Amino acid sequence: MKKNETIRNHYIPQFFQKQFLNRNGKIWVIERTKGKWKEIEERTPKGLFYQKHLYDQKTEDLSSKIENNLAPIMKKISNAHSNKGLLQKLSSNVAIFLKLQDFIGMQLMRQEHKNKITILEVMKYYPKLALAYDYIFVNNQTNIPFIISDNFIHKMEKNGKIQFYIPLSKNLCLFLLPSIDSNQHGNYQIFYKDKDEEKVESCNLRQIQNANSYIVSSQKKYLEKIRKLLNFSIK
């Protein structure tokens, strides 16, 4: 091993995982092995969503630099989930908006490249995603938290156009819908909506369907319900 080489490469950054912490400062997780979802465990972000030697060191250093710039911004956005005016002000800030796109681009790259990732593959996602989307921030006012899986960016095709659904925290998710003026590069709008319980469940179902190895939640009781349903469906 080379000096200062990073062994554990997180494909979901630790700073992002912290948006889904429970009251103990950890995360409830179920893991699938040999086709069955195991008992619920409580883990730290350091010990979850990583793969050894996934990146070379140059790629790890670049990823860390991008993540260090994003971490305080993501925290501000998630903390503002119930404040419509503040959230719209933050996301309308061009510098903040571009860093949010950095995060989305990085995660798309990670989900689509499961094997060893090089710096060239990272750079394929730059320049950033096209800005011709409507950004809809959705505030969760229910007792059910948003959850994530190891493939938490959900891509949907509707009428020949790609939509994205991205949970940002247990209280906030983001929908990217192609703008009506999608031919105008750089066009985007910021919207804000509230979610009822039925729609939160629908969003979480997408995470369950996307999951390969992990599903995590801030709420143990809710995760236990998911685990039972998943293992029942396997039988």
Side-chain angles (χ1 to χ4, degrees):
M1 183 182 75
K2 297 179 182 179
K3 188 177 180 180
N4 298 325
E5 181 182 1
T6 304
I7 303 301
R8 292 184 175 189
N9 302 131
H10 284 81
Y11 52 86
I12 298 183
Q14 294 183 64
F15 82 82
F16 182 71
Q17 295 183 52
K18 290 178 181 178
Q19 307 307 315
F20 300 86
L21 296 178
N22 60 27
R23 293 179 180 178
N24 301 325
K26 296 182 180 180
I27 300 174
W28 296 111
V29 56
I30 49 174
E31 180 180 1
R32 180 163 61 183
T33 57
K34 297 181 180 179
K36 186 175 182 180
W37 292 94
K38 297 165 58 177
E39 294 290 337
I40 295 175
E41 294 181 313
E42 196 176 29
R43 298 192 191 177
T44 64
K46 183 177 180 180
L48 190 61
F49 295 125
Y50 73 87
Q51 184 175 321
K52 291 183 177 180
H53 304 293
L54 178 60
Y55 314 146
D56 58 34
Q57 195 57 43
K58 287 184 178 180
T59 308
E60 172 65 21
D61 292 343
L62 174 63
S63 300
S64 296
K65 182 179 179 180
I66 292 172
E67 289 166 11
N68 288 338
N69 289 331
L70 286 169
I73 291 169
M74 292 295 294
K75 187 175 181 179
K76 284 182 180 180
I77 290 174
S78 64
N79 286 345
H81 70 90
S82 61
N83 187 328
K84 178 180 179 180
L86 178 57
L87 184 61
Q88 289 182 321
K89 182 179 179 180
L90 286 170
S91 52
S92 297
N93 181 300
V94 174
I96 289 177
F97 183 81
L98 292 177
K99 285 183 171 61
L100 178 61
Q101 284 212 332
D102 282 345
F103 172 71
I104 296 170
M106 283 289 294
Q107 287 307 131
L108 282 172
M109 177 275 297
R110 283 168 165 151
Q111 286 188 195
E112 294 179 11
H113 296 274
K114 294 297 184 183
N115 298 317
K116 191 171 181 66
I117 298 170
T118 68
I119 199 166
L120 292 177
E121 286 165 330
V122 175
M123 299 311 293
K124 286 178 184 178
Y125 284 80
Y126 293 85
K128 304 165 184 66
L129 294 173
L131 298 182
Y133 276 87
D134 290 337
Y135 279 61
I136 304 174
F137 289 91
V138 181
N139 175 36
N140 179 3
Q141 294 185 321
T142 77
N143 292 322
I144 300 173
F146 286 121
I147 63 174
I148 58 169
S149 71
D150 43 336
N151 293 304
F152 71 86
I153 294 186
H154 182 79
K155 295 170 65 174
M156 303 168 281
E157 184 172 342
K158 187 174 183 180
N159 299 325
K161 295 183 178 182
I162 301 297
Q163 304 176 2
F164 297 93
Y165 156 66
I166 309 162
L168 298 180
S169 75
K170 56 192 172 187
N171 301 116
L172 186 71
C173 73
L174 173 64
F175 285 96
L176 271 64
L177 304 181
S179 174
I180 295 175
D181 298 323
S182 58
N183 293 324
Q184 297 182 23
H185 181 76
N187 177 65
Y188 67 93
Q189 296 185 71
I190 306 294
F191 297 93
Y192 182 90
K193 293 183 178 181
D194 292 322
K195 278 285 186 186
D196 59 34
E197 190 169 297
E198 182 179 349
K199 292 179 180 177
V200 172
E201 291 275 26
S202 176
C203 293
N204 285 344
L205 179 61
R206 295 184 181 125
Q207 293 299 307
I208 295 168
Q209 292 171 334
N210 285 353
N212 288 327
S213 303
Y214 300 103
I215 301 173
V216 309
S217 175
S218 61
Q219 193 180 110
K220 184 178 182 181
K221 185 178 180 180
Y222 184 63
L223 197 60
E224 183 62 45
K225 174 185 172 182
I226 293 171
R227 177 183 171 275
K228 287 180 180 178
L229 288 172
L230 285 170
N231 282 334
F232 178 80
S233 66
I234 292 172
K235 296 178 182 179

PDB file of all heavy atoms in Angstrom, residues 19-21 140 142-148 165 167 169-172 197 200-201 203-204 207 216-223 226:
ATOM      1  N   GLN A  19     -27.289  13.207   6.258  1.00  0.00           N
ATOM      2  CA  GLN A  19     -28.619  13.804   6.149  1.00  0.00           C
ATOM      3  C   GLN A  19     -29.719  12.802   6.505  1.00  0.00           C
ATOM      4  O   GLN A  19     -30.904  13.159   6.558  1.00  0.00           O
ATOM      5  CB  GLN A  19     -28.852  14.341   4.733  1.00  0.00           C
ATOM      6  CG  GLN A  19     -27.783  15.284   4.221  1.00  0.00           C
ATOM      7  CD  GLN A  19     -27.500  16.430   5.168  1.00  0.00           C
ATOM      8  OE1 GLN A  19     -28.403  17.063   5.698  1.00  0.00           O
ATOM      9  NE2 GLN A  19     -26.212  16.691   5.417  1.00  0.00           N
ATOM     10  N   PHE A  20     -29.319  11.536   6.766  1.00  0.00           N
ATOM     11  CA  PHE A  20     -30.281  10.477   7.061  1.00  0.00           C
ATOM     12  C   PHE A  20     -29.994   9.813   8.409  1.00  0.00           C
ATOM     13  O   PHE A  20     -30.386   8.675   8.645  1.00  0.00           O
ATOM     14  CB  PHE A  20     -30.268   9.439   5.933  1.00  0.00           C
ATOM     15  CG  PHE A  20     -30.640  10.009   4.589  1.00  0.00           C
ATOM     16  CD1 PHE A  20     -29.671  10.597   3.777  1.00  0.00           C
ATOM     17  CD2 PHE A  20     -31.954   9.996   4.137  1.00  0.00           C
ATOM     18  CE1 PHE A  20     -30.008  11.151   2.550  1.00  0.00           C
ATOM     19  CE2 PHE A  20     -32.288  10.545   2.918  1.00  0.00           C
ATOM     20  CZ  PHE A  20     -31.320  11.123   2.118  1.00  0.00           C
ATOM     21  N   LEU A  21     -29.325  10.524   9.295  1.00  0.00           N
ATOM     22  CA  LEU A  21     -28.957   9.979  10.593  1.00  0.00           C
ATOM     23  C   LEU A  21     -30.173   9.822  11.508  1.00  0.00           C
ATOM     24  O   LEU A  21     -31.140  10.579  11.415  1.00  0.00           O
ATOM     25  CB  LEU A  21     -27.941  10.882  11.291  1.00  0.00           C
ATOM     26  CG  LEU A  21     -26.561  11.044  10.625  1.00  0.00           C
ATOM     27  CD1 LEU A  21     -25.714  12.006  11.442  1.00  0.00           C
ATOM     28  CD2 LEU A  21     -25.860   9.703  10.460  1.00  0.00           C
ATOM     29  N   ASN A 140     -41.027  17.118   3.075  1.00  0.00           N
ATOM     30  CA  ASN A 140     -41.767  16.004   3.675  1.00  0.00           C
ATOM     31  C   ASN A 140     -42.281  16.423   5.052  1.00  0.00           C
ATOM     32  O   ASN A 140     -41.504  16.564   5.993  1.00  0.00           O
ATOM     33  CB  ASN A 140     -40.840  14.793   3.778  1.00  0.00           C
ATOM     34  CG  ASN A 140     -41.514  13.586   4.408  1.00  0.00           C
ATOM     35  OD1 ASN A 140     -42.689  13.610   4.720  1.00  0.00           O
ATOM     36  ND2 ASN A 140     -40.746  12.532   4.591  1.00  0.00           N
ATOM     37  N   THR A 142     -44.572  14.601   6.775  1.00  0.00           N
ATOM     38  CA  THR A 142     -45.212  13.426   7.363  1.00  0.00           C
ATOM     39  C   THR A 142     -44.300  12.806   8.431  1.00  0.00           C
ATOM     40  O   THR A 142     -43.186  13.262   8.659  1.00  0.00           O
ATOM     41  CB  THR A 142     -45.495  12.369   6.281  1.00  0.00           C
ATOM     42  OG1 THR A 142     -44.278  11.682   5.931  1.00  0.00           O
ATOM     43  CG2 THR A 142     -46.071  13.013   5.033  1.00  0.00           C
ATOM     44  N   ASN A 143     -44.794  11.736   9.033  1.00  0.00           N
ATOM     45  CA  ASN A 143     -44.003  11.003  10.024  1.00  0.00           C
ATOM     46  C   ASN A 143     -43.144   9.917   9.384  1.00  0.00           C
ATOM     47  O   ASN A 143     -42.429   9.184  10.077  1.00  0.00           O
ATOM     48  CB  ASN A 143     -44.927  10.361  11.066  1.00  0.00           C
ATOM     49  CG  ASN A 143     -45.613  11.395  11.933  1.00  0.00           C
ATOM     50  OD1 ASN A 143     -45.011  12.406  12.303  1.00  0.00           O
ATOM     51  ND2 ASN A 143     -46.882  11.169  12.243  1.00  0.00           N
ATOM     52  N   ILE A 144     -43.221   9.799   8.068  1.00  0.00           N
ATOM     53  CA  ILE A 144     -42.425   8.808   7.336  1.00  0.00           C
ATOM     54  C   ILE A 144     -41.223   9.505   6.716  1.00  0.00           C
ATOM     55  O   ILE A 144     -41.388  10.474   5.979  1.00  0.00           O
ATOM     56  CB  ILE A 144     -43.259   8.152   6.215  1.00  0.00           C
ATOM     57  CG1 ILE A 144     -44.475   7.440   6.803  1.00  0.00           C
ATOM     58  CG2 ILE A 144     -42.408   7.171   5.419  1.00  0.00           C
ATOM     59  CD1 ILE A 144     -45.427   6.924   5.748  1.00  0.00           C
ATOM     60  N   PRO A 145     -40.017   9.044   6.973  1.00  0.00           N
ATOM     61  CA  PRO A 145     -38.838   9.705   6.394  1.00  0.00           C
ATOM     62  C   PRO A 145     -38.575   9.256   4.967  1.00  0.00           C
ATOM     63  O   PRO A 145     -38.946   8.149   4.575  1.00  0.00           O
ATOM     64  CB  PRO A 145     -37.706   9.229   7.319  1.00  0.00           C
ATOM     65  CG  PRO A 145     -38.140   7.851   7.732  1.00  0.00           C
ATOM     66  CD  PRO A 145     -39.643   7.935   7.872  1.00  0.00           C
ATOM     67  N   PHE A 146     -37.972  10.127   4.177  1.00  0.00           N
ATOM     68  CA  PHE A 146     -37.418   9.672   2.907  1.00  0.00           C
ATOM     69  C   PHE A 146     -36.265   8.733   3.208  1.00  0.00           C
ATOM     70  O   PHE A 146     -35.496   8.939   4.157  1.00  0.00           O
ATOM     71  CB  PHE A 146     -36.920  10.849   2.074  1.00  0.00           C
ATOM     72  CG  PHE A 146     -38.008  11.677   1.463  1.00  0.00           C
ATOM     73  CD1 PHE A 146     -38.119  13.033   1.748  1.00  0.00           C
ATOM     74  CD2 PHE A 146     -38.935  11.114   0.602  1.00  0.00           C
ATOM     75  CE1 PHE A 146     -39.125  13.803   1.197  1.00  0.00           C
ATOM     76  CE2 PHE A 146     -39.948  11.876   0.037  1.00  0.00           C
ATOM     77  CZ  PHE A 146     -40.045  13.229   0.335  1.00  0.00           C
ATOM     78  N   ILE A 147     -36.125   7.692   2.401  1.00  0.00           N
ATOM     79  CA  ILE A 147     -35.046   6.722   2.559  1.00  0.00           C
ATOM     80  C   ILE A 147     -34.146   6.757   1.335  1.00  0.00           C
ATOM     81  O   ILE A 147     -34.496   7.365   0.311  1.00  0.00           O
ATOM     82  CB  ILE A 147     -35.597   5.294   2.754  1.00  0.00           C
ATOM     83  CG1 ILE A 147     -36.372   4.841   1.493  1.00  0.00           C
ATOM     84  CG2 ILE A 147     -36.495   5.240   3.997  1.00  0.00           C
ATOM     85  CD1 ILE A 147     -36.836   3.402   1.538  1.00  0.00           C
ATOM     86  N   ILE A 148     -32.986   6.113   1.430  1.00  0.00           N
ATOM     87  CA  ILE A 148     -32.118   5.971   0.258  1.00  0.00           C
ATOM     88  C   ILE A 148     -31.622   4.534   0.150  1.00  0.00           C
ATOM     89  O   ILE A 148     -31.630   3.782   1.126  1.00  0.00           O
ATOM     90  CB  ILE A 148     -30.909   6.926   0.278  1.00  0.00           C
ATOM     91  CG1 ILE A 148     -30.047   6.721   1.533  1.00  0.00           C
ATOM     92  CG2 ILE A 148     -31.342   8.362   0.122  1.00  0.00           C
ATOM     93  CD1 ILE A 148     -28.707   7.436   1.472  1.00  0.00           C
ATOM     94  N   TYR A 165     -35.316  11.671  -9.756  1.00  0.00           N
ATOM     95  CA  TYR A 165     -35.816  11.820  -8.398  1.00  0.00           C
ATOM     96  C   TYR A 165     -34.651  11.581  -7.455  1.00  0.00           C
ATOM     97  O   TYR A 165     -33.992  10.550  -7.523  1.00  0.00           O
ATOM     98  CB  TYR A 165     -36.941  10.823  -8.124  1.00  0.00           C
ATOM     99  CG  TYR A 165     -37.120  10.493  -6.665  1.00  0.00           C
ATOM    100  CD1 TYR A 165     -37.544  11.459  -5.749  1.00  0.00           C
ATOM    101  CD2 TYR A 165     -36.843   9.222  -6.186  1.00  0.00           C
ATOM    102  CE1 TYR A 165     -37.688  11.162  -4.410  1.00  0.00           C
ATOM    103  CE2 TYR A 165     -36.988   8.916  -4.846  1.00  0.00           C
ATOM    104  CZ  TYR A 165     -37.402   9.883  -3.967  1.00  0.00           C
ATOM    105  OH  TYR A 165     -37.532   9.593  -2.640  1.00  0.00           O
ATOM    106  N   PRO A 167     -33.578  11.935  -3.354  1.00  0.00           N
ATOM    107  CA  PRO A 167     -33.726  12.319  -1.946  1.00  0.00           C
ATOM    108  C   PRO A 167     -32.467  13.061  -1.487  1.00  0.00           C
ATOM    109  O   PRO A 167     -31.351  12.605  -1.729  1.00  0.00           O
ATOM    110  CB  PRO A 167     -33.861  10.981  -1.216  1.00  0.00           C
ATOM    111  CG  PRO A 167     -34.124   9.968  -2.278  1.00  0.00           C
ATOM    112  CD  PRO A 167     -33.492  10.487  -3.519  1.00  0.00           C
ATOM    113  N   SER A 169     -32.407  14.466   1.855  1.00  0.00           N
ATOM    114  CA  SER A 169     -32.362  14.233   3.292  1.00  0.00           C
ATOM    115  C   SER A 169     -33.628  13.472   3.669  1.00  0.00           C
ATOM    116  O   SER A 169     -34.481  13.203   2.811  1.00  0.00           O
ATOM    117  CB  SER A 169     -32.285  15.548   4.074  1.00  0.00           C
ATOM    118  OG  SER A 169     -33.537  16.201   4.087  1.00  0.00           O
ATOM    119  N   LYS A 170     -33.772  13.134   4.948  1.00  0.00           N
ATOM    120  CA  LYS A 170     -34.986  12.439   5.388  1.00  0.00           C
ATOM    121  C   LYS A 170     -36.216  13.321   5.277  1.00  0.00           C
ATOM    122  O   LYS A 170     -37.345  12.830   5.299  1.00  0.00           O
ATOM    123  CB  LYS A 170     -34.810  11.940   6.824  1.00  0.00           C
ATOM    124  CG  LYS A 170     -34.442  13.013   7.823  1.00  0.00           C
ATOM    125  CD  LYS A 170     -34.004  12.399   9.140  1.00  0.00           C
ATOM    126  CE  LYS A 170     -33.439  13.446  10.096  1.00  0.00           C
ATOM    127  NZ  LYS A 170     -32.867  12.822  11.319  1.00  0.00           N
ATOM    128  N   ASN A 171     -36.018  14.629   5.108  1.00  0.00           N
ATOM    129  CA  ASN A 171     -37.132  15.581   5.028  1.00  0.00           C
ATOM    130  C   ASN A 171     -37.287  16.262   3.680  1.00  0.00           C
ATOM    131  O   ASN A 171     -38.238  17.020   3.485  1.00  0.00           O
ATOM    132  CB  ASN A 171     -36.970  16.678   6.091  1.00  0.00           C
ATOM    133  CG  ASN A 171     -36.916  16.146   7.494  1.00  0.00           C
ATOM    134  OD1 ASN A 171     -35.912  16.277   8.179  1.00  0.00           O
ATOM    135  ND2 ASN A 171     -37.989  15.508   7.940  1.00  0.00           N
ATOM    136  N   LEU A 172     -36.367  16.002   2.756  1.00  0.00           N
ATOM    137  CA  LEU A 172     -36.357  16.767   1.506  1.00  0.00           C
ATOM    138  C   LEU A 172     -35.936  15.893   0.334  1.00  0.00           C
ATOM    139  O   LEU A 172     -34.996  15.101   0.433  1.00  0.00           O
ATOM    140  CB  LEU A 172     -35.376  17.938   1.632  1.00  0.00           C
ATOM    141  CG  LEU A 172     -35.328  18.944   0.476  1.00  0.00           C
ATOM    142  CD1 LEU A 172     -36.599  19.783   0.451  1.00  0.00           C
ATOM    143  CD2 LEU A 172     -34.106  19.856   0.623  1.00  0.00           C
ATOM    144  N   GLU A 197     -48.413  11.675   2.926  1.00  0.00           N
ATOM    145  CA  GLU A 197     -47.856  10.368   3.283  1.00  0.00           C
ATOM    146  C   GLU A 197     -47.871   9.389   2.122  1.00  0.00           C
ATOM    147  O   GLU A 197     -46.908   8.657   1.905  1.00  0.00           O
ATOM    148  CB  GLU A 197     -48.640   9.795   4.470  1.00  0.00           C
ATOM    149  CG  GLU A 197     -48.012   8.560   5.073  1.00  0.00           C
ATOM    150  CD  GLU A 197     -48.654   8.168   6.389  1.00  0.00           C
ATOM    151  OE1 GLU A 197     -48.573   8.956   7.356  1.00  0.00           O
ATOM    152  OE2 GLU A 197     -49.243   7.071   6.449  1.00  0.00           O
ATOM    153  N   VAL A 200     -45.032  10.182  -0.237  1.00  0.00           N
ATOM    154  CA  VAL A 200     -43.731   9.844   0.335  1.00  0.00           C
ATOM    155  C   VAL A 200     -43.490   8.342   0.186  1.00  0.00           C
ATOM    156  O   VAL A 200     -42.399   7.904  -0.187  1.00  0.00           O
ATOM    157  CB  VAL A 200     -43.644  10.264   1.820  1.00  0.00           C
ATOM    158  CG1 VAL A 200     -42.355   9.735   2.453  1.00  0.00           C
ATOM    159  CG2 VAL A 200     -43.685  11.777   1.936  1.00  0.00           C
ATOM    160  N   GLU A 201     -44.517   7.543   0.468  1.00  0.00           N
ATOM    161  CA  GLU A 201     -44.410   6.092   0.301  1.00  0.00           C
ATOM    162  C   GLU A 201     -44.098   5.736  -1.149  1.00  0.00           C
ATOM    163  O   GLU A 201     -43.299   4.828  -1.426  1.00  0.00           O
ATOM    164  CB  GLU A 201     -45.720   5.414   0.729  1.00  0.00           C
ATOM    165  CG  GLU A 201     -46.007   5.463   2.208  1.00  0.00           C
ATOM    166  CD  GLU A 201     -45.335   4.350   2.985  1.00  0.00           C
ATOM    167  OE1 GLU A 201     -44.304   3.846   2.520  1.00  0.00           O
ATOM    168  OE2 GLU A 201     -45.839   4.006   4.066  1.00  0.00           O
ATOM    169  N   CYS A 203     -42.475   7.589  -3.315  1.00  0.00           N
ATOM    170  CA  CYS A 203     -41.072   7.935  -3.560  1.00  0.00           C
ATOM    171  C   CYS A 203     -40.145   6.887  -2.965  1.00  0.00           C
ATOM    172  O   CYS A 203     -39.151   6.483  -3.582  1.00  0.00           O
ATOM    173  CB  CYS A 203     -40.765   9.301  -2.955  1.00  0.00           C
ATOM    174  SG  CYS A 203     -41.616  10.668  -3.755  1.00  0.00           S
ATOM    175  N   ASN A 204     -40.453   6.426  -1.763  1.00  0.00           N
ATOM    176  CA  ASN A 204     -39.618   5.422  -1.111  1.00  0.00           C
ATOM    177  C   ASN A 204     -39.651   4.091  -1.845  1.00  0.00           C
ATOM    178  O   ASN A 204     -38.662   3.346  -1.852  1.00  0.00           O
ATOM    179  CB  ASN A 204     -40.054   5.231   0.340  1.00  0.00           C
ATOM    180  CG  ASN A 204     -39.620   6.382   1.233  1.00  0.00           C
ATOM    181  OD1 ASN A 204     -38.755   7.167   0.867  1.00  0.00           O
ATOM    182  ND2 ASN A 204     -40.222   6.483   2.406  1.00  0.00           N
ATOM    183  N   GLN A 207     -36.895   3.802  -4.245  1.00  0.00           N
ATOM    184  CA  GLN A 207     -35.622   3.457  -3.630  1.00  0.00           C
ATOM    185  C   GLN A 207     -35.519   1.952  -3.387  1.00  0.00           C
ATOM    186  O   GLN A 207     -34.474   1.337  -3.606  1.00  0.00           O
ATOM    187  CB  GLN A 207     -35.451   4.207  -2.313  1.00  0.00           C
ATOM    188  CG  GLN A 207     -35.304   5.703  -2.460  1.00  0.00           C
ATOM    189  CD  GLN A 207     -34.078   6.087  -3.272  1.00  0.00           C
ATOM    190  OE1 GLN A 207     -32.963   5.656  -2.966  1.00  0.00           O
ATOM    191  NE2 GLN A 207     -34.263   6.883  -4.304  1.00  0.00           N
ATOM    192  N   VAL A 216     -31.365   2.262   3.586  1.00  0.00           N
ATOM    193  CA  VAL A 216     -31.133   2.894   4.888  1.00  0.00           C
ATOM    194  C   VAL A 216     -32.234   3.889   5.209  1.00  0.00           C
ATOM    195  O   VAL A 216     -32.890   4.439   4.323  1.00  0.00           O
ATOM    196  CB  VAL A 216     -29.760   3.604   4.950  1.00  0.00           C
ATOM    197  CG1 VAL A 216     -28.647   2.694   4.498  1.00  0.00           C
ATOM    198  CG2 VAL A 216     -29.746   4.882   4.136  1.00  0.00           C
ATOM    199  N   SER A 217     -32.413   4.109   6.507  1.00  0.00           N
ATOM    200  CA  SER A 217     -33.433   5.022   6.987  1.00  0.00           C
ATOM    201  C   SER A 217     -33.018   5.584   8.334  1.00  0.00           C
ATOM    202  O   SER A 217     -32.203   4.988   9.053  1.00  0.00           O
ATOM    203  CB  SER A 217     -34.773   4.289   7.122  1.00  0.00           C
ATOM    204  OG  SER A 217     -35.753   5.124   7.703  1.00  0.00           O
ATOM    205  N   SER A 218     -33.588   6.710   8.679  1.00  0.00           N
ATOM    206  CA  SER A 218     -33.379   7.289  10.010  1.00  0.00           C
ATOM    207  C   SER A 218     -34.328   6.677  11.036  1.00  0.00           C
ATOM    208  O   SER A 218     -34.186   6.897  12.234  1.00  0.00           O
ATOM    209  CB  SER A 218     -33.608   8.812   9.963  1.00  0.00           C
ATOM    210  OG  SER A 218     -34.955   9.090   9.568  1.00  0.00           O
ATOM    211  N   GLN A 219     -35.292   5.879  10.555  1.00  0.00           N
ATOM    212  CA  GLN A 219     -36.339   5.351  11.423  1.00  0.00           C
ATOM    213  C   GLN A 219     -36.335   3.814  11.384  1.00  0.00           C
ATOM    214  O   GLN A 219     -36.658   3.204  10.370  1.00  0.00           O
ATOM    215  CB  GLN A 219     -37.697   5.904  10.980  1.00  0.00           C
ATOM    216  CG  GLN A 219     -38.825   5.689  11.948  1.00  0.00           C
ATOM    217  CD  GLN A 219     -40.119   6.264  11.432  1.00  0.00           C
ATOM    218  OE1 GLN A 219     -41.049   5.520  11.082  1.00  0.00           O
ATOM    219  NE2 GLN A 219     -40.199   7.583  11.350  1.00  0.00           N
ATOM    220  N   LYS A 220     -35.994   3.198  12.494  1.00  0.00           N
ATOM    221  CA  LYS A 220     -35.877   1.735  12.567  1.00  0.00           C
ATOM    222  C   LYS A 220     -37.208   1.042  12.311  1.00  0.00           C
ATOM    223  O   LYS A 220     -37.285   0.041  11.585  1.00  0.00           O
ATOM    224  CB  LYS A 220     -35.322   1.325  13.933  1.00  0.00           C
ATOM    225  CG  LYS A 220     -35.074  -0.174  14.058  1.00  0.00           C
ATOM    226  CD  LYS A 220     -34.480  -0.526  15.405  1.00  0.00           C
ATOM    227  CE  LYS A 220     -34.193  -2.025  15.504  1.00  0.00           C
ATOM    228  NZ  LYS A 220     -33.626  -2.387  16.823  1.00  0.00           N
ATOM    229  N   LYS A 221     -38.273   1.551  12.913  1.00  0.00           N
ATOM    230  CA  LYS A 221     -39.584   0.923  12.788  1.00  0.00           C
ATOM    231  C   LYS A 221     -40.034   0.877  11.331  1.00  0.00           C
ATOM    232  O   LYS A 221     -40.574  -0.131  10.865  1.00  0.00           O
ATOM    233  CB  LYS A 221     -40.605   1.697  13.633  1.00  0.00           C
ATOM    234  CG  LYS A 221     -41.982   1.074  13.673  1.00  0.00           C
ATOM    235  CD  LYS A 221     -42.904   1.876  14.577  1.00  0.00           C
ATOM    236  CE  LYS A 221     -44.306   1.264  14.625  1.00  0.00           C
ATOM    237  NZ  LYS A 221     -45.208   2.054  15.507  1.00  0.00           N
ATOM    238  N   TYR A 222     -39.796   1.945  10.607  1.00  0.00           N
ATOM    239  CA  TYR A 222     -40.191   1.988   9.201  1.00  0.00           C
ATOM    240  C   TYR A 222     -39.345   1.026   8.374  1.00  0.00           C
ATOM    241  O   TYR A 222     -39.850   0.342   7.487  1.00  0.00           O
ATOM    242  CB  TYR A 222     -40.045   3.412   8.676  1.00  0.00           C
ATOM    243  CG  TYR A 222     -40.504   3.595   7.257  1.00  0.00           C
ATOM    244  CD1 TYR A 222     -41.823   3.396   6.894  1.00  0.00           C
ATOM    245  CD2 TYR A 222     -39.604   3.974   6.260  1.00  0.00           C
ATOM    246  CE1 TYR A 222     -42.252   3.562   5.592  1.00  0.00           C
ATOM    247  CE2 TYR A 222     -40.029   4.145   4.953  1.00  0.00           C
ATOM    248  CZ  TYR A 222     -41.350   3.942   4.619  1.00  0.00           C
ATOM    249  OH  TYR A 222     -41.771   4.099   3.331  1.00  0.00           O
ATOM    250  N   LEU A 223     -38.073   0.931   8.682  1.00  0.00           N
ATOM    251  CA  LEU A 223     -37.179   0.032   7.951  1.00  0.00           C
ATOM    252  C   LEU A 223     -37.532  -1.427   8.229  1.00  0.00           C
ATOM    253  O   LEU A 223     -37.424  -2.276   7.333  1.00  0.00           O
ATOM    254  CB  LEU A 223     -35.722   0.316   8.338  1.00  0.00           C
ATOM    255  CG  LEU A 223     -34.648  -0.231   7.394  1.00  0.00           C
ATOM    256  CD1 LEU A 223     -34.805   0.345   5.995  1.00  0.00           C
ATOM    257  CD2 LEU A 223     -33.259   0.089   7.930  1.00  0.00           C
ATOM    258  N   ILE A 226     -40.285  -2.419   5.949  1.00  0.00           N
ATOM    259  CA  ILE A 226     -39.783  -2.662   4.593  1.00  0.00           C
ATOM    260  C   ILE A 226     -39.126  -4.034   4.504  1.00  0.00           C
ATOM    261  O   ILE A 226     -39.352  -4.801   3.556  1.00  0.00           O
ATOM    262  CB  ILE A 226     -38.787  -1.555   4.184  1.00  0.00           C
ATOM    263  CG1 ILE A 226     -39.516  -0.223   4.041  1.00  0.00           C
ATOM    264  CG2 ILE A 226     -38.078  -1.922   2.886  1.00  0.00           C
ATOM    265  CD1 ILE A 226     -38.585   0.954   3.844  1.00  0.00           C
TER     266      ILE A 226
END
